[in-house]
């Protein structure tokens, strides 16, 4: 991998210290699943290679992002991808260079795939390059928000000979059998192609699928073309429709290089052409790449880092890059987007973008609080997008993808996101938001995040006999109700505040004081604790076990501590979580104790500081950053989940961590000598350290703008100016 790992301290070279293959490798549950291809910040187009092992062996859990670092073959280059999520979806509109008219064998089971070597691969923000061994073609990729740019150099090309071909696998998708239908039309006279796919992947199939349109403009004349359908190749055919279709085009230019751009749209065929025209007309691959590089340099250069090791800088800027990949901007040229009512809408003048693809169960913890601080303008539009989904679809979504409800994961954690943004002064219609939150929290809704509302209201918990994960959902609803209660209080809705605050205490109903764990209960009140507290696959817990959920009461940490009787016992048990986790040093399987690679217990590091042991927060935050995050392809300890794990690293590296849904942050152990953050709102925060180093991770004194600062929490309003940490061994 060709990466510039030089010192980073300026806007100019921040973008060069990025490891785009970090998080693309690993094993089992320790795969980051981040696509390394070309993308603009929050862009719809994520143009990236989709890989496979030898003999076309496709291991699904290795390929949630399309690309897996351990593979030796590239299947195709597709234009849409999820970002670090643990599900197969997207991977649509695939292109691949070839050297002849394809045969039936070539197009069956990806016979056109090619081997490649990481030594002949280069990736940086906005750009991807690789040499394909089999056709001997160098592929270069870049993009705009809604278009993908390809530049292919055919190294074995002979002038005036038809030896340059391009395959378009229209039905390609990462999820097996995800092509519900598709179409391709070729206009050889004008060097164009267009079509669409109805993708029904692991999540999108839940609401009928996502129809994605494409429009292609080549810069050289076609000399041959054809299509295929279900393995049957049809030369000179310019149209095809079906569930297993594709096309090929041939060229005979004197130059071995061809360039072409692909407009992508989730609105219409006409919009795909409009996106292509507006974003790519009059441009070249090189000019588009220069524009992308400048954009990324500006975005990443908004944070300047000094001090620390080379690896720490690489991990930090790679994490920062990952936090700017998603959510996805689904408003296209002219502000047009397809809403959750499946109708076309236009953005209002007070919004710059409409966003979707929100892994809310994950991103509410770290990623969205990061955007609320670093990119509050983007966060404003994210919340407005959630409210538009409610207005046009009927409910605030639990996990929105494209223009549909997926119903994925637990809780109505959009409540946390809305409260977090509101209390941090981010602009949106809070009255509309509150009404939407209250409706979803008090009535049964088709697509909202709460199930078994009546049991929740009457029993004060979700019973095991109704849902085996009832204890986890009870904890989730308590957190959500805490957020709603705080918003109600700010809006002077006293009755609502009292109601939701009382409901937020229901976590105590699933606390088993004998064992000191959260356990499910039946409708009749009988405990259904697990036979093994460390069974990470136990059906009682969502993506975790009893140890992971033991610490998850973010809305009432003081109340949680009281369940353990004393601070000393709380800290002792919490430290046991980390001690025992050291006996499980790999990420292939979930760690049954502290699991750095998944969300349920990632807050636990920071609880020590809230229980009188800030030294343990400082120690273990450094430990997790140093041990579980690396500069290898396995450098993210689990699915990045749309930037969640990357944002955890950023917060930890600057020594400040959010309690999402509030304005409170916990102070930790910064790893750099100096970090200067320039937010999109014009706020500047500088975090400096003295006497810092690998062994000096304990904090002796803190000053805020020159004045002594006492305590281990800080308010959002105070994150401006200079915070100085004096470190000690």
């Amino acid at each position: 991998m060709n990466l510039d790992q030089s010192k980073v301290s300026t806007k100019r070279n921040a973008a060069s210290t990025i490891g785009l293959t970090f998080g693309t490798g690993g094993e089992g549950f320790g795969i980051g699943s981040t696509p390394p291809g070309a993308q603009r910040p929050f862009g719809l187009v994520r143009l990236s290679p989709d890989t496979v092992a030898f003999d076309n062996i496709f291991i699904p859990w290795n390929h949630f992002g399309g690309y897996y670092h351990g593979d030796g073959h590239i299947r195709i280059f597709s234009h849409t991808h999820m970002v670090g999520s643990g599900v197969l979806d997207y991977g649509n509109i695939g292109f691949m260079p070839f050297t002849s008219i394809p045969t039936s064998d070539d197009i069956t089971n990806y016979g056109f795939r090619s081997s490649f070597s990481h030594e002949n691969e280069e990736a940086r923000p906005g750009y991807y390059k690789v040499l394909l061994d089999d056709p001997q073609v160098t592929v270069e990729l870049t993009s705009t928000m809604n278009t993908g740019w390809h530049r292919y150099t055919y190294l074995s090309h002979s002038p005036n000979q038809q030896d340059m071909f391009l395959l378009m696998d229209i039905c390609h998708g990462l999820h097996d059998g995800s092509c519900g239908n598709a179409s391709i039309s070729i206009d050889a006279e004008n060097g164009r192609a267009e079509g669409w796919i109805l993708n029904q992947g692991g999540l999108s199939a839940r609401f009928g699928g996502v129809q994605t349109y494409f429009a292609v403009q080549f810069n050289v004349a076609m000399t041959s073309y054809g299509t295929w359908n279900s393995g049957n190749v049809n030369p000179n055919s310019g149209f095809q429709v079906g569930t297993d279709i594709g096309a090929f085009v041939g060229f005979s230019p004197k130059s071995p290089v061809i360039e072409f751009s692909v407009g992508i749209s989730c609105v219409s065929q006409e919009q795909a052409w409009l996106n292509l025209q507006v974003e790519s007309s009059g441009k070249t691959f090189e000019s588009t790449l220069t524009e992308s590089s400048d954009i990324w340099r500006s975005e990443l250069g908004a944070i300047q880092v000094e001090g620390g090791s080379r690896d720490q800088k690489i991990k930090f800027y790679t994490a920062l890059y990952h936090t700017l990949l998603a959510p996805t901007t689904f408003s296209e040229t002219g502000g047009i987007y397809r809403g959750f009512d499946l109708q076309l809408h236009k953005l209002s003048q007070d919004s710059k973008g409409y966003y979707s693809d929100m892994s809310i169960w994950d991103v509410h913890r770290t990623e969205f609080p990061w955007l609320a601080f670093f990119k509050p303008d983007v966060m404003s539009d994210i919340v407005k997008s959630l409210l538009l989904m409610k207005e046009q679809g009927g409910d605030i979504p639990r996990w929105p993808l494209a223009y549909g409800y997926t119903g994925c994961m637990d809780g109505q954690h959009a409540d946390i996101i809305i409260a977090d943004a509101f209390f941090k002064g981010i602009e949106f219609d809070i009255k509309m938001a509150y009404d939407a939150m209250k409706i979803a929290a008090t009535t049964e809704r088709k697509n909202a995040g709460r199930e078994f509302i009546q049991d929740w209201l009457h029993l004060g918990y979700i019973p095991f006999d109704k849902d085996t994960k009832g204890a986890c959902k009870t904890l989730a609803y308590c957190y959500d109700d805490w957020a709603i209660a705080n918003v109600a209080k700010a809006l002077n809705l006293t009755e609502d505040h009292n109601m939701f605050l009382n409901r937020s205490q229901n976590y105590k109903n699933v606390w088993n004081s004998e064992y000191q764990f959260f356990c499910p209960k039946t409708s009749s009140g009988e405990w259904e604790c697990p036979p093994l507290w460390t069974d990470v696959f136990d059906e009682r817990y969502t993506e975790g076990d009893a140890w992971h959920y033991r610490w998850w009461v973010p809305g009432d940490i003081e109340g949680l501590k009281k369940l353990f009787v004393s601070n000393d016992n709380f800290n002792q048990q919490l430290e046991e979580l980390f001690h025992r986790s050291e006996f499980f040093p790999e990420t292939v399987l979930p760690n049954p104790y502290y699991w750095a690679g998944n969300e349920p217990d990632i807050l636990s590091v920071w609880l020590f500081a809230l229980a009188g042991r800030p030294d343990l927060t400082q120690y273990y935050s450094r430990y997790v950053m140093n041990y579980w995050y690396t500069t290898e392809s396995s450098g993210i300890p689990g699915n990045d989940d749309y930037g969640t794990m990357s944002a955890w690293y950023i917060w930890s590296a600057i020594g400040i961590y959010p309690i999402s849904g509030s304005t409170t942050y916990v102070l930790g152990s910064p790893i750099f000598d100096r970090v200067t953050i320039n937010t999109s709102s014009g706020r500047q925060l500088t975090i400096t350290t003295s006497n810092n180093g690998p062994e000096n991770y304990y904090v002796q004194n803190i000053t805020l703008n020159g004045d002594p600062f006492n305590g281990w929490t800080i308010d959002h309003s105070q994150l401006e100016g200079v915070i100085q940490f004096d470190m000690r061994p």
Side-chain angles (χ1 to χ4, degrees), residues 108-411:
T108 300
N109 203 29
Y110 294 92
F112 50 73
R113 65 189 181 276
S114 172
S115 62
F116 76 106
S117 168
H118 294 305
E119 294 180 357
N120 297 318
E121 188 181 36
E122 178 182 354
R124 60 180 186 266
Y127 178 72
Y128 178 85
K129 177 182 179 181
V130 68
L131 170 64
L132 299 179
D133 296 332
D134 300 332
Q136 280 293 289
V137 175
T138 298
V139 172
E140 296 173 273
L141 309 174
T142 190
S143 70
T144 65
M145 293 296 286
N146 299 290
T147 67
W149 271 88
H150 303 241
R151 181 163 66 187
Y152 297 170
T153 302
Y154 292 71
L155 301 180
S156 61
H157 170 66
S158 299
N160 301 317
Q161 293 186 13
Q162 184 171 302
D163 52 12
M164 297 167 62
F165 287 84
L166 174 70
L167 308 186
M168 297 177 280
D169 190 342
I170 309 308
C171 280
H172 172 71
L174 294 177
H175 192 283
D176 187 41
S178 61
C179 183
N181 205 2
S183 174
I184 174 86
S185 298
I186 300 172
D187 179 359
E189 183 177 350
N190 293 299
R192 299 170 18 142
E194 66 178 27
W196 51 267
I197 178 177
L198 175 61
N199 177 69
Q200 298 173 322
L203 287 183
S204 55
R206 298 184 182 189
F207 55 86
V210 178
Q211 189 147 336
T212 303
Y213 302 85
F214 67 94
V216 191
Q217 181 67 64
F218 298 101
N219 72 336
V220 293
M222 299 181 196
T223 52
S224 62
Y225 61 89
T227 63
W228 70 75
N229 193 331
S230 300
N232 298 312
V233 180
N234 305 291
N236 302 317
S237 166
F239 176 78
Q240 200 61 253
V241 63
T243 58
D244 184 14
I245 67 166
F248 68 88
V249 292
F251 311 96
S252 299
K254 294 182 179 180
S255 169
V257 181
I258 64 169
E259 293 184 6
F260 61 95
S261 50
V262 183
I264 299 293
S265 173
C266 290
V267 169
S268 67
Q269 187 66 72
E270 293 75 20
Q271 186 71 33
W273 283 112
L274 181 61
N275 292 342
L276 183 65
Q277 177 185 3
V278 170
E279 297 184 8
S280 298
S281 180
K283 298 180 181 179
T284 63
F285 182 95
E286 203 63 38
S287 66
T288 303
L289 173 58
T290 298
E291 186 177 270
S292 279
S293 298
D294 289 345
I295 289 171
W296 276 114
R297 189 176 296 113
S298 176
E299 292 283 355
L300 298 169
I303 301 180
Q304 291 91 48
V305 170
E306 299 175 27
S309 69
R310 182 192 67 175
D311 281 359
Q312 286 173 328
K313 293 189 182 81
I314 294 170
K315 288 190 286 185
F316 181 86
Y317 277 105
T318 302
L320 177 59
Y321 170 80
H322 286 150
T323 66
L324 299 175
L325 295 180
T328 305
T329 307
F330 266 84
S331 50
E332 304 176 20
T333 302
I336 303 299
Y337 67 93
R338 187 173 298 280
F340 273 45
D341 56 1
L342 304 184
Q343 303 302 306
L344 299 186
H345 301 271
K346 184 178 175 63
L347 280 176
S348 61
Q349 292 184 348
D350 67 343
S351 296
K352 296 180 181 178
Y354 173 82
Y355 293 87
S356 190
D357 292 359
M358 301 184 202
S359 177
I360 288 177
W361 187 80
D362 310 294
V363 296
H364 79 273
R365 305 165 198 256
T366 57
E367 164 72 359
F368 278 9
W370 172 248
L371 294 181
F373 173 64
F374 184 53
K375 305 284 287 185
D377 54 336
V378 172
M379 197 63 226
S380 174
D381 282 342
I382 289 172
V383 176
K384 291 174 183 176
S385 299
L386 290 171
L387 298 182
L388 286 171
M389 293 170 188
K390 161 63 173 69
E391 180 182 332
Q392 295 159 7
D395 294 307
I396 294 180
R398 187 189 306 179
W399 204 123
L401 186 81
Y403 44 75
Y405 295 100
T406 69
C408 189
M409 306 308 290
D410 298 339

Side-chain angles (χ1 to χ4, degrees), residues 69 96 213 552 565 713:
H69 193 265
M96 190 71 171
Y213 302 85
W552 195 58
V565 182
T713 62

